[in-house]
Amino acid sequence: MRNKKSMVLWLFAAGIVLGCSAQQKPISKQNASIETKVDSVLKLMTLEEKIGQMNQYNGFFDVTGPAPKDGQAAQKYEHIRKGYVGSMLNVTGVKDVRALQKIAVEQSRMKIPMIFGSDVIHGYQTISPIPLAESASWDLQAIQNSAKMAAEEASAVGLNWTFAPMVDVMRDARWGRVMEGAGEDPFLGSKIAVARIKGFQGDNFDDAKTILACAKHFAAYGFAESGRDYNTVDVGESTLQNIIFPPFKASVDAGVRTFMNAFNEIDGVPATGSRWLQRDILKGAWKFDGFVVSDWGSINEIRIHGNAKDGKQAAEIAVNAGCDMDMEAYLYIEHLANLVREGKVSEALIDDAARRILRVKFELGLFDDPYKYCDEAREKATVGKKEIHEAALDMAKKSIVLLKNEGNLLPLKKSGQKIALIGALADDKTSPLGNWRNASKDGSAVSVREGMARYTGNSVVYEKGATVSLNTDVFAREVKVNTTDKSGFAQAVAAAKSGDVVVMVLGEVGYQSGEGRSRADIGLPGVQQELLEEVYKVNKNLVLVLQNGRPLTIPWAAEHVPAIVEGWHLGTQSGHAIAQVLYGDYNPSGKLPMSFPRHVGQLPLYYNHKNTGRPTMPSPDEVFWSHHGDVAHTPQYPFGFGLSYTTFGYSNLKLSQSQFSKAGLIQVSVTVTNTGKVSGKEVVQLYLQDLVGSTTRPVRELKGFEMVELAPGQSKTVTFAIDEQTIQFYTANKKWEAEPGAFKVFVGGSSDANLEASFDYVR
């Protein structure tokens, strides 16, 4: 009986995975639905094999060499052979992916293919701007295309899963991972999440150029106390529902196939072990039918949080809570079978998790062709190809934000000037790649110095001025910042003194932002501020180009420096993008997705704050109102802010009616005019204020935006629709609904928009 059953199992698996070579029609090409196929496979699997699908390992040996003979590597190798590994991460390149996939589908009993994932956060080898920078473009089509290009390059090397997009809303620039998200607003964040998911996943997975997206980190990771990575989070349900959850819900609605849970705790429960988050909200209320992967080792961290006595209990908590796949904690593979036998975990939950993972593998087409993503010719033709570099350059230009331009110092003249280019970052070919650059090559970015060299009409003299980082940047090590060496100041000051214009490139090296890279002081690191002030003393025709992964506090520069360009970490084509903006071949149109504070003590800082009971000064110099006594309570540069080489005027704000009810809507129209001398693009922004709610409401909320491109003197009427869904929020009734009442509308070029009108919603 056992021999007969084994033969049936082998024939079934062979028909699924090797059907083409057996001259049989693969099961996934038959008329049966994916659910039927998944159930058919699941019925043939042992408990251990189901748990194996829930196990993910990091790359562990040179697959071109001999198989490991002992230690953890040997155990992992044997687990693949037994079908005890559902996914691998950080294995890249067609040769290596094919070799490991071959073990899974040719040596394991069930021959189930593995998924191969990696952190393709803002590009694979060709690096696009960091996500925060891309978000500054407010250009959803460009953002989608950027993700599409990243997916094409990543899929060509054998990958079929990225751990992106990060859709955490964040309000504290001290947190290093702000570089990985879309900023402080849930509406903009939701739109960008959808764009990135569509870019990675396409319309379906028939095309081998598409890969799985992963919405992370569920939930509230961006609200870590004091902006310190991995720290505790303490937020109320109203904030969770109205601010934190919307981009995640939008991700589900957009068809994202995987979620990643978060390192932090919420309400005393680690997110990885939260049944409320994973089962009640995500899989219950939102009906998500993909699978949830832990963050790296986060199941074991349930124990470290103090919520489990040991790894076995941590595994029990996590799987019961709804975490389907264990990333590099080894606890599911070690403990789940015994937990099921002891009755502490229902096998039905194991079945549910394995079913979710198998479903996604069928959707990817891996049962039809386990080597779908293993095409050496495509790998060679795709990685680094011209089209991907062109997309990276386009995205980089659109991500740049002009913060200040007194006296129209920018754009620079293209001839007849002597320019002093100063700053270590101006000649840095690695930092522009940002933090998540696993597959890129150090030194592969175009530097600002190289980008400006393309323009030959001016004389450019370069001086470093001062080093920013004293050590070779290493992903897992702290950056050692230069706080004492000013030996290059004299040469930099001399160059500035003899120049007509000074361009200074200052900010953070690539590894000063990102995971684990929180900063208590978010000013210019090291001696750069001193260098800036010394140069300014001898030449006030100064352009400051910032390269950074987070909002910085630059109050001195904001007051003194006439021109400031936010150049972020813009990726492979960084220098060309910045040079084209500096010389006016591209008119900047970026808008900030995150407020820039005046002082770190203002943090967390965000435009959609609550009014409080004492929002304004009652009388001159009186202290009894919500403020800091030593700094203005407003940001240096607000959310949505960004200048252009032209100017725009807003007028003729009209509402189609003064009130509407459930079945109706209001049209909001405004005339936008290019009042300057060159063509430019403007992001027209619509904000609402709900004046009275069953719970307190923000002073304003972004509810719409549209980018318009106008020639000098040209006008355009931009129209937005406001309906019941627009004004819904999570109310005191513990549900999403629209409450009757009075509202204000604000339209303009930033969150400080002051053109306003009013309407009522009635039932």
Side-chain angles (χ1 to χ4, degrees), residues 448-456 460 579:
V448 174
R449 186 180 184 183
E450 290 173 324
M452 292 186 69
R454 288 280 188 96
Y455 294 83
T456 58
V460 179

Side-chain angles (χ1 to χ4, degrees), residues 451-516:
M452 292 186 69
R454 288 280 188 96
Y455 294 83
T456 58
N458 291 320
S459 170
V460 179
V461 176
Y462 170 71
E463 289 292 344
K464 180 169 69 172
T467 298
V468 180
S469 172
L470 296 175
N471 59 331
T472 302
D473 291 349
V474 178
F475 182 70
R477 296 287 181 266
E478 295 283 359
V479 171
K480 295 180 180 178
V481 177
N482 170 30
T483 58
T484 58
D485 184 4
K486 307 174 190 177
S487 58
F489 274 30
Q491 296 96 314
V493 170
K497 193 171 184 179
S498 63
D500 298 310
V501 180
V502 179
V503 175
M504 294 192 73
V505 185
L506 306 177
E508 301 177 313
V509 298
Y511 282 153
Q512 280 185 282
S513 59
E515 183 175 352

Side-chain angles (χ1 to χ4, degrees), residues 538-594:
V538 301
N539 194 332
K540 293 178 172 53
N541 287 330
L542 196 157
V543 178
L544 172 61
V545 177
L546 297 172
Q547 289 194 318
N548 44 290
R550 54 158 59 82
L552 299 177
T553 50
I554 52 168
W556 188 90
E559 180 180 353
H560 294 90
V561 176
I564 304 175
V565 174
E566 176 50 79
W568 311 105
H569 292 140
L570 293 175
T572 303
Q573 293 292 324
S574 176
H576 289 322
I578 290 171
Q580 288 181 33
V581 166
L582 292 179
Y583 277 107
D585 284 341
Y586 188 85
N587 189 353
S589 57
K591 300 281 190 176
L592 293 178
M594 199 169 182

Side-chain angles (χ1 to χ4, degrees), residues 669-740:
S669 63
V670 66
T671 301
V672 185
T673 304
N674 183 338
T675 55
K677 298 180 180 179
V678 296
S679 295
K681 292 185 288 187
E682 170 74 339
V683 180
V684 183
Q685 301 162 44
L686 171 78
Y687 296 86
L688 295 184
Q689 182 184 15
D690 185 348
L691 296 178
V692 179
S694 59
T695 61
T696 57
R697 308 293 294 124
V699 293
R700 59 181 63 186
E701 299 174 282
L702 180 70
K703 292 295 183 180
F705 60 91
E706 181 178 329
M707 182 176 288
V708 296
E709 185 167 8
L710 300 172
Q714 184 182 4
S715 296
K716 181 178 180 179
T717 298
V718 178
T719 302
F720 300 98
I722 298 174
D723 60 14
E724 184 184 53
Q725 186 173 2
T726 309
I727 63 172
Q728 285 183 347
F729 71 103
Y730 192 76
T731 71
N733 294 326
K734 304 296 183 182
K735 63 180 181 179
W736 281 83
E737 59 184 335
E739 293 183 337

Side-chain angles (χ1 to χ4, degrees), residues 247-318:
F248 289 102
K249 178 59 164 60
S251 298
V252 174
D253 294 343
V256 74
R257 301 312 294 134
T258 70
F259 258 61
M260 180 182 288
N261 49 43
F263 285 120
N264 56 277
E265 66 170 57
I266 298 178
D267 199 22
V269 178
T272 306
S274 172
R275 180 187 293 267
W276 180 71
L277 280 176
Q278 295 171 103
R279 293 213 183 274
D280 296 349
I281 300 295
L282 180 59
K283 296 177 178 180
W286 297 351
K287 303 186 186 307
F288 173 66
D289 66 349
F291 69 86
V292 180
V293 62
S294 77
D295 209 334
W296 185 289
S298 67
I299 295 177
N300 183 55
E301 291 182 16
I302 295 174
R303 173 185 63 82
I304 302 171
H305 275 288
N307 198 224
K309 64 181 179 181
D310 53 25
K312 183 178 181 181
Q313 188 181 20
E316 176 188 343
I317 290 171

Side-chain angles (χ1 to χ4, degrees), residues 356-372:
R356 290 170 177 272
I357 295 164
L358 291 171
R359 177 186 295 130
V360 170
K361 290 183 177 184
F362 271 108
E363 291 170 350
L364 276 175
L366 293 178
F367 279 94
D368 288 337
D369 181 5
Y371 307 113
K372 174 181 175 181

Side-chain angles (χ1 to χ4, degrees), residues 30 32 55 97 106 191 208 315 324 355 359 433 440 499 599 618 711:
Q30 296 172 5
N55 181 36
V97 170
E106 295 186 17
K191 298 291 186 183
D324 302 308
R355 177 179 288 107
R359 177 186 295 130
L433 299 173
S440 66
H599 189 280

